Amino acid sequence: MKVTANGQVHELREGALTELLDALGTPERGVAVAVDGRVVARGQWSETVLSEGAKVEILTAVQGG
């Protein structure tokens, strides 16, 4: 299955959001995730199943000004 994460296409064996996040080495803190324009609460990451062609945006908080 192919999904797009932050503008890059990724191939997944299964459609679990956590599989994608693990494959990308996404940190566990300071991260927000949206799937097809909808924010997914951290508590729902493991329950979220991606569909073919899903668009995922992963944002990481940074310090500074």
Side-chain angles (χ1 to χ4, degrees):
M1 155 186 320
K2 291 182 182 178
V3 299
T4 302
N6 292 352
Q8 293 187 317
V9 177
H10 297 273
E11 184 80 32
L12 299 176
R13 285 177 281 136
E14 297 178 19
L17 176 59
T18 51
E19 179 186 350
L20 174 64
L21 297 175
D22 289 345
L24 297 175
T26 305
E28 294 190 22
R29 298 244 181 240
V31 175
V33 177
V35 176
D36 295 328
R38 301 186 118 186
V39 175
V40 179
R42 179 180 305 281
Q44 295 179 334
W45 288 2
S46 62
E47 302 166 8
T48 301
V49 177
L50 303 173
S51 58
E52 177 74 31
K55 293 185 183 194
V56 180
E57 294 297 326
I58 305 164
L59 304 171
T60 305
V62 294
Q63 269 186 290

